[in-house]
Amino acid sequence: MSSTTAQIRLVSSHPEVYEPCDDSFALVDALLADRAHLLEQHPTLCMEVGCGSGYVITSLALILGKEAPGVHYIATDINPHAIRVTRETLEAHGVHAELINTNIASGLDSRLKGLIDVMVVNPPYVPTREDEVGAEGIASSWAGGENGRSVIDRILPIADNLLSEKGWLYLVTLTANNPSEICLEMRKKGYGARIVVQRSTEEESLHIIKFWRDFDSVDAKEMLTASKSASWSL
Ligand SMILES: C[S@@+](CC[C@H](N)C(=O)[O-])C[C@H]1O[C@@H](n2cnc3c(N)ncnc32)[C@H](O)[C@@H]1O
């Protein structure tokens, strides 16, 4: 069994790009812990939103490796330096991903709608003033606005739109982000949720939450019924 992840010494860097940190490692640990399920899911399209140094998307490509041939990897980042650094990190590990410099998944909705089998996100989640969100430079890596939720709350509906029926979302959150409220929001969209990794450091308590479409949930049933009656009434 291969359980390789990206090697820190091969991860490229830039002063304006987020370096792999506890949150990045926790996310990769969650993917490693779920490797067998990921392989059983037979993903064809995997996507990272906010790839930074490329540590996570490179690790995902290595974790799935040769046992998941034909997987196409896509990574976006709003920071153009991150795209360049991610390209170098991928190349240093001999793996490939399509890299797109965009805001979350802007411009990709029609191409990727309902097609992403695995989405991984380590978003800017630190509670900050709202005007720090999306600021120039490295600050946009962590500045999450009120309760650290500004970017997360924009990502969730986009993830819902892009995920395939069997799609999974792995999201890094902080206690201050109110993870149970995030799960409730996703529940309303018909998703089940589970904490795959929980890690406390001196400064923060991180949760890696996995979301999946839960077709048995009451909300999902109601949604399906509503969409069926909507199409019948057309
Ligand atoms: C906490 S860092 C995580 C970087 C990397 N994924 C990791 O785990 O080490 C968040 C990343 O999201 C990017 N980002 C912030 N806002 C974004 C947005 N609206 N669209 C795309 N990427 C964004 C930042 O540039 C940064 O690279």
Side-chain angles (χ1 to χ4, degrees), residues 18 21-27 122-123 125-126 171-177 179 195-201 203-209:
Y18 191 81
C21 206
D22 291 335
D23 46 6
S24 330
F25 301 137
L27 178 54
N122 179 9
Y125 54 65
V126 177
L171 177 72
V172 180
T173 65
L174 203 62
T175 310
N177 305 145
I195 294 173
V196 189
V197 167
Q198 184 162 7
R199 201 156 287 170
S200 296
T201 66
E203 292 143 22
E204 54 194 18
S205 181
L206 291 164
H207 304 82
I208 313 300
I209 312 175

Side-chain angles (χ1 to χ4, degrees), residues 195-234:
I195 294 173
V196 189
V197 167
Q198 184 162 7
R199 201 156 287 170
S200 296
T201 66
E202 272 179 25
E203 292 143 22
E204 54 194 18
S205 181
L206 291 164
H207 304 82
I208 313 300
I209 312 175
K210 175 180 177 180
F211 295 97
W212 65 92
R213 291 190 196 277
D214 183 0
F215 292 106
D216 290 333
S217 80
V218 176
D219 296 313
K221 276 183 188 148
E222 279 171 3
M223 268 173 31
L224 279 175
T225 315
S227 68
K228 272 182 192 152
S229 49
S231 55
W232 289 335
S233 63
L234 284 175

Side-chain angles (χ1 to χ4, degrees), residues 37-217:
H37 295 126
L38 282 162
L39 288 171
E40 278 166 19
Q41 200 239 45
H42 298 296
T44 50
L45 257 180
C46 297
M47 177 175 191
E48 179 175 19
V49 172
C51 54
S53 68
Y55 173 75
V56 177
I57 191 73
T58 302
S59 294
L60 180 60
L62 292 169
I63 288 167
L64 296 182
K66 292 193 175 67
E67 286 180 60
V71 180
H72 185 71
Y73 298 91
I74 300 177
T76 69
D77 204 293
I78 200 164
N79 177 351
H81 301 298
I83 296 296
R84 216 168 310 127
V85 168
T86 293
R87 180 165 296 117
E88 290 166 4
T89 299
L90 288 158
E91 278 171 11
H93 290 84
V95 289
H96 178 77
E98 181 183 344
L99 302 176
I100 301 163
N101 179 206
T102 191
N103 186 349
I104 304 180
S106 180
L108 298 170
D109 335 14
S110 54
R111 178 185 153 206
L112 299 180
K113 185 178 168 56
L115 293 180
I116 302 296
D117 297 319
V118 178
M119 182 180 282
V120 293
V121 192
N122 179 9
Y125 54 65
V126 177
T128 60
R129 287 199 329 260
E130 210 50 46
D131 60 3
E132 292 179 49
V133 177
E136 284 280 301
I138 189 81
S140 68
S141 294
W142 63 75
E146 196 181 339
N147 301 324
R149 286 282 294 273
S150 277
V151 184
I152 292 175
D153 287 346
R154 281 194 277 130
I155 289 172
L156 296 179
I158 295 170
D160 180 35
N161 186 43
L162 298 190
L163 284 172
S164 66
E165 284 202 358
K166 65 176 182 183
W168 295 341
L169 165 66
Y170 295 84
L171 177 72
V172 180
T173 65
L174 203 62
T175 310
N177 305 145
N178 200 345
S180 41
E181 192 187 81
I182 294 175
C183 293
L184 207 63
E185 285 304 309
M186 289 301 273
R187 180 111 202 125
K188 287 185 199 154
K189 296 182 195 294
Y191 287 81
R194 180 169 72 84
I195 294 173
V196 189
V197 167
Q198 184 162 7
R199 201 156 287 170
S200 296
T201 66
E202 272 179 25
E203 292 143 22
E204 54 194 18
S205 181
L206 291 164
H207 304 82
I208 313 300
I209 312 175
K210 175 180 177 180
F211 295 97
W212 65 92
R213 291 190 196 277
D214 183 0
F215 292 106
D216 290 333
S217 80

